[in-house]
Amino acid sequence: MDREWARDAIQRISGLFAQFAAGDGIHHLDAAAVLTGEALRHGAVVYWCGNGGSAGDAQHLAAELVGRFGQPGRGYPSVA
C-alpha cells in the first residue's frame, strides 16, 4: 500500500460519510435507533447477523447491549 492509495481511500470514505450526513442517511439511522429503543422498552430481542468479519461485528454489538456498554444495570436482550 502506498501513500497515494491510502490518501485516495480516506478521501473516498470521508466523501461517503459527508453524503450520508447531507442526505437522508442520518434520518434513517436516527429512525432505526428510535425503533430499536422502543422495541427494547417493550421487551423485544435485538438479533444481529453477519458473515466473516461482519459476524465478529455482530457479536461485538450484541455483547455491548447485553453488557450495557459497561454501565451498571441489567443488560438488554441481544443475540448474534
Side-chain angles (χ1 to χ4, degrees), residues 10-46:
I10 291 169
Q11 287 175 343
R12 282 192 309 272
I13 292 168
S14 65
L16 290 172
F17 278 114
Q19 287 176 348
F20 182 84
D24 285 339
I26 199 75
H27 300 294
H28 293 298
L29 182 62
D30 182 60
V34 169
L35 287 172
T36 302
E38 287 296 316
L40 286 170
R41 277 190 276 287
H42 289 93
V45 177
V46 177

Side-chain angles (χ1 to χ4, degrees), residues 49-60:
C49 61
N51 185 4
S54 297
D57 292 337
Q59 292 171 343
H60 185 166

